Amino acid sequence: MRSDNLRYYPPDWCSAATMAYLLDMAESTFRGYVARGLMPVGVTRGGSVRWPREKTLAAWEGRAAQSDSPRKSDNDNAEDIQANILESIKRHGAAKKARG
């Protein structure tokens, strides 16, 4: 393939910067989604990390197979997140009173 064709055909395996560009977000946002389990984990080969473009786009669009999906979306576990936040606030308040 000629190098001038690369601008028209994205690679099958993309860097975090390329995936962020394809999803129109900051690279740090993309990496945060990966860390939170909302996007697939990249594959490391020879010190480089790459994401399978189609699988990652499928996860973003919500069309990933259940076995391919890294975990539930934020909307699916919003109640769990809220409960964890409230529990954390209660623990912090109790610890602050104990230090008093």
Side-chain angles (χ1 to χ4, degrees):
M1 175 167 38
R2 292 179 20 185
S3 63
D4 60 343
N5 287 339
L6 289 178
R7 71 183 111 150
Y8 302 110
Y9 300 102
D12 291 333
W13 290 85
C14 301
S15 66
T18 302
M19 285 308 312
Y21 173 79
L22 290 172
L23 296 169
D24 192 27
M25 65 177 64
E27 184 178 345
S28 60
T29 302
F30 175 76
R31 290 185 181 279
Y33 286 166
V34 171
R36 290 172 45 206
L38 300 174
M39 299 296 254
V41 177
V43 176
T44 303
R45 294 286 188 270
S48 296
V49 182
R50 297 291 183 263
W51 282 262
R53 181 175 41 89
E54 281 302 315
K55 184 177 178 181
T56 306
L57 292 176
W60 177 254
E61 294 170 359
R63 57 182 169 87
Q66 192 65 14
S67 61
D68 291 342
S69 181
R71 81 171 199 206
K72 297 187 289 185
S73 72
D74 280 347
N75 293 334
D76 292 342
N77 61 358
E79 291 176 9
D80 293 340
I81 292 171
Q82 186 176 13
N84 288 339
I85 291 170
L86 290 174
E87 183 60 33
S88 176
I89 291 170
K90 289 177 187 176
R91 281 195 312 264
H92 178 71
K96 190 172 182 178
K97 284 181 183 178
R99 288 190 302 251

